[in-house]
Amino acid sequence: MNAGELAGYAAAFRRDGFVHVPGVLSAEELARYGEAVDEAVASRKAGDTRRLDEKSPYEQSFMQCQYIWEDFPAVRPLTFHPKIGELTAALLGANKVRLWHDQALYKEAGGRETEAHQDQPYWPIAEADTATVWIPFAATSDETGCMGYVPGSHKGEAEFIDIFGTPGDGKRLEERYADTPPVFVHCEPGDVIFHHGFTTHMAKANRSDRTRRVYTAIYFADGSHRGGERPHPSVDRDGIAIGDVIDGGATPVVWPLEGGRMPEPEPWPEMGMEWRERAERLGIIPRRAG
Ligand SMILES: O=C(O)CCC(=O)C(=O)O
């Protein structure tokens, strides 16, 4: 990608809080990484035999598996993809970019909408230099659960929307932006979408008979600091204190990769994360060895 194209995408990201970038991944890459992420989701979710209607409303929006670059090495080249790293750095105006965490978000056939929310209130990061890349492994449309973004909403206030436990909470944001309807973005295979951590976004329900297979990774500008007490494994694993620079093994540098080498994951510490048992059982985070 040349400097002019990068600058154009960065300007759109700064203006709208999201940008659709076509043709980032080749058909071969999409097939290879799609298979790797499918395998990760199947393995992590193997113990979860619940039907869609037996799951919580949040879980009906998608199957969620985080930090899969760590226990599924075949996913790693996608997480640390140089084209995506370079684009993210350009969008954030940063020389160096780190990973906050990655995740598969597989919206099952018949899966519920993803309610409107902003991401950054979920993360204890002080600065606002964050971007998520959303990578579908097949075309996405209104029927299969495409994403919608409220343009310019990243410049507004941040609000914690409880998509996890309060169904309907996203309506508060929809009401706030009643005069600025979301832009729903259809992707072709190989396209990706980036959104800013403060952008109000949502996804349509999956009315098709196929799972909507998506991988996302959240990146942030190197030099960002821990912004609050809200627990989060990306900082708690490395014992990052409030006000400290976030630079642990859980949040490795993505761009530029020194010598082109991808990082090795660090083991998870044995620490009191009370949600951990449940998150492991549900396949949300890597299982402890043994
Ligand atoms: O894929 C979805 O349904 C939601 C994605 C999302 O909220 C995000 O990537 O921040």
Side-chain angles (χ1 to χ4, degrees):
M1 200 163 289
N2 65 42
E5 283 173 314
L6 284 174
Y9 291 130
F13 183 79
R14 279 196 302 274
R15 184 189 62 227
D16 298 330
F18 70 96
V19 63
H20 175 199
V21 187
V24 172
L25 298 169
S26 69
E28 185 279 320
E29 285 180 304
L30 214 57
R32 182 154 43 94
Y33 298 137
E35 200 176 303
V37 177
D38 286 352
E39 245 179 76
V41 174
S43 165
R44 288 272 198 93
K45 295 289 185 188
D48 186 354
T49 54
R50 292 172 301 165
R51 289 192 319 264
L52 185 63
D53 64 359
E54 294 172 316
K55 297 182 179 179
S56 71
Y58 176 66
E59 291 172 304
Q60 288 176 22
S61 292
F62 41 65
M63 293 194 283
Q64 183 174 30
C65 303
Q66 302 185 326
Y67 303 94
I68 59 175
W69 73 273
E70 300 189 16
D71 47 347
F72 294 91
V75 174
R76 230 167 269 172
L78 181 58
T79 323
F80 297 92
H81 198 291
K83 234 168 154 177
I84 292 174
E86 183 185 30
L87 261 161
T88 308
L91 301 188
L92 295 179
N95 295 327
K96 213 182 206 185
V97 169
R98 287 178 178 271
L99 177 67
W100 179 246
H101 70 76
D102 69 333
Q103 58 188 344
L105 296 175
Y106 275 32
K107 197 183 278 293
E108 294 170 80
R112 190 175 161 261
E113 67 176 319
T114 307
E115 290 195 38
H117 64 282
Q118 295 159 293
D119 295 329
Q120 191 117 1
Y122 305 146
W123 309 325
I125 305 176
E127 292 80 2
D129 302 319
T130 60
T132 297
V133 64
W134 194 85
I135 307 171
F137 293 119
T140 52
S141 65
D142 285 3
E143 202 202 345
T144 60
C146 67
M147 287 287 283
Y149 306 88
V150 176
S153 53
H154 62 307
K155 295 175 183 160
E157 269 174 40
E159 191 165 343
F160 183 96
I161 298 293
D162 180 17
I163 55 172
F164 315 102
T166 309
D169 208 26
K171 292 272 173 282
R172 289 195 286 132
L173 277 181
E174 284 179 38
E175 279 158 21
R176 198 206 297 170
Y177 291 112
D179 294 337
T180 318
V183 175
F184 284 94
V185 180
H186 296 176
C187 285
E188 290 301 319
D191 297 1
V192 307
I193 314 171
F194 291 87
H195 68 267
H196 185 269
F198 279 85
T199 303
T200 291
H201 59 283
M202 68 283 290
K204 293 205 181 251
N206 183 358
R207 292 181 283 111
S208 79
D209 57 6
R210 299 174 306 281
T211 296
R212 185 214 67 181
R213 299 153 56 237
V214 165
Y215 177 75
T216 81
I218 300 140
Y219 304 113
F220 64 99
D222 181 47
S224 300
H225 299 79
R226 181 169 186 155
E229 275 174 25
R230 165 172 290 284
H232 199 290
S234 294
V235 278
D236 294 336
R237 287 170 66 185
D238 290 306
I240 311 279
I242 296 171
D244 281 359
V245 170
I246 306 169
D247 63 356
T251 52
V253 172
V254 168
W255 174 264
L257 282 181
E258 217 174 289
R261 279 186 312 276
M262 288 184 288
E264 284 298 316
E266 67 171 17
W268 285 56
E270 280 302 331
M271 52 189 292
M273 296 178 188
E274 55 188 53
W275 54 269
R276 179 165 178 178
E277 206 70 32
R278 181 175 176 275
E280 264 188 42
R281 190 164 29 81
L282 291 176
I284 296 170
I285 61 169
R287 269 178 224 115
R288 274 163 280 198

